[in-house]
Amino acid sequence: RSPTFSKPFDRAVPTDEGSGGNHQMEDFDCDDVAALDPLDENAVVKFIGGRYRAAPEGRPAKHHLIYTRAGPVVVAVNPLQSVPDLYTEAERRKYARAASERAKAEKESRVIEDSDLPPHIYEVSAKAYCGMCDGRSQAVVINGESGAGKTETAKILVKDISEKSAQAEDDLAARLLASSPVLEAFGNAKTLRNDNSSRFGKLIKLHFTPNGQLSHASVAHYLLEKSRVVQQQQGEQAYHIACAPACHLQYLHHRHH
């Protein structure tokens, strides 16, 4: 079993059916939907939406509360803007340290207090890497609707794990990350809901040496939406690779005329 960092909650978070989801900030002290009472779809949507709209003091809305726990699952809401200070080296180290301490305690059959760290994609990558270093194969499933942020989440997770395990003077991690734009060019397209929608499934396999260093990787794709090559709905486009030359020619036309 993978270790979890969720804090034990000693109270249920009440949900107000008449509030329309307009919770105050103090209602979101708990970051796990498992604490909701009642726990139903409506309460979960309101709670996650409330955390998304709320923000720490001095921060703009849609900032630091894009992640929420649902037991062992981390739920992410696309902030639709850049939040670079969520993905700093300092943040990576905090979650890596917490996962390492948890894994060590489990090996020694010790009880360790849960981390106070908030939910984050780095929590998932840190647990997966520690589990792999303990000799257990790991699988991370990233799922969601179009535009939910699956592609970006996968990039962040793969970047974190590959950089943890990259060997000195080895550019394998960099080459793995550099392959993403190529796959997006041939497999992503503009849709009515998303300007960079992945129209295929992707399976990324990372292989490691016994001492936890990245040895090789592979990327498999499947269920490509082939019909988009010849026909698209009104307002949508073909794959980026097909649109790029046309856009470039249009730019040159306007530039010279």
Side-chain angles (χ1 to χ4, degrees):
R1 296 179 302 169
S2 298
T4 59
F5 300 139
S6 55
K7 294 179 287 186
F9 43 84
D10 55 9
R11 65 177 180 85
V13 178
T15 57
D16 183 0
E17 295 299 327
S19 67
N22 296 322
H23 299 272
Q24 298 298 318
M25 185 64 195
E26 56 268 18
D27 293 335
F28 305 106
D29 291 339
C30 179
D31 53 29
D32 196 329
V33 298
L36 296 179
D37 183 22
L39 178 56
D40 54 30
E41 181 179 355
N42 186 52
V44 168
V45 171
K46 285 186 176 181
F47 183 70
I48 294 176
R51 284 176 56 82
Y52 176 71
R53 286 186 291 271
E57 184 177 355
R59 297 287 187 179
K62 303 179 182 177
H63 192 76
H64 267 141
L65 298 178
I66 63 174
Y67 293 111
T68 303
R69 288 192 183 87
V73 177
V74 173
V75 180
V77 177
N78 190 340
L80 302 177
Q81 62 180 303
S82 177
V83 282
D85 54 334
L86 265 181
Y87 308 105
T88 63
E89 182 61 27
E91 289 293 305
R92 289 181 58 201
R93 286 196 296 266
K94 286 193 297 185
Y95 286 93
R97 189 182 309 114
S100 179
E101 291 174 355
R102 171 65 64 178
K104 183 178 179 180
E106 287 190 343
K107 285 182 181 179
E108 299 172 354
S109 300
R110 290 189 292 108
V111 176
I112 185 173
E113 186 176 346
D114 287 326
S115 169
D116 290 330
L117 294 175
H120 199 293
I121 186 61
Y122 286 161
E123 175 183 333
V124 178
S125 58
K127 290 194 298 183
Y129 183 70
C130 283
M132 180 278 303
C133 289
D134 287 340
R136 297 171 291 168
S137 296
Q138 303 290 304
V140 179
V141 178
I142 302 175
N143 191 26
E145 296 183 341
S146 178
K150 300 184 296 297
T151 299
E152 292 303 315
T153 297
K155 289 180 187 176
I156 295 169
L157 186 140
V158 170
K159 183 176 187 293
D160 185 32
I161 294 178
S162 60
E163 290 184 353
K164 289 180 191 296
S165 56
Q167 303 182 47
E169 301 181 359
D170 187 352
D171 65 347
L172 176 58
R175 285 187 284 125
L176 174 63
L177 296 171
S179 68
S180 185
V182 179
L183 290 172
E184 290 182 28
F186 285 90
N188 287 28
K190 179 181 179 180
T191 66
L192 295 177
R193 299 183 60 182
N194 185 0
D195 286 348
N196 189 37
S197 178
S198 298
R199 311 312 298 168
F200 66 104
K202 182 165 57 177
L203 175 64
I204 303 174
K205 291 184 178 181
L206 305 179
H207 301 266
F208 300 86
T209 63
N211 60 351
Q213 293 183 322
L214 183 64
S215 62
H216 63 283
S218 63
V219 180
H221 61 83
Y222 54 94
L223 298 178
L224 179 67
E225 187 184 22
K226 297 179 181 179
S227 61
R228 182 171 292 272
V229 174
V230 295
Q231 184 177 8
Q232 305 89 39
Q233 296 184 33
Q234 185 175 0
E236 297 194 354
Q237 294 181 355
Y239 292 110
H240 294 327
I241 192 65
C243 296
C247 292
H248 183 62
L249 289 174
Q250 186 177 22
Y251 167 76
L252 291 176
H253 174 78
H254 287 300
R255 183 177 179 181
H256 293 289
H257 295 83

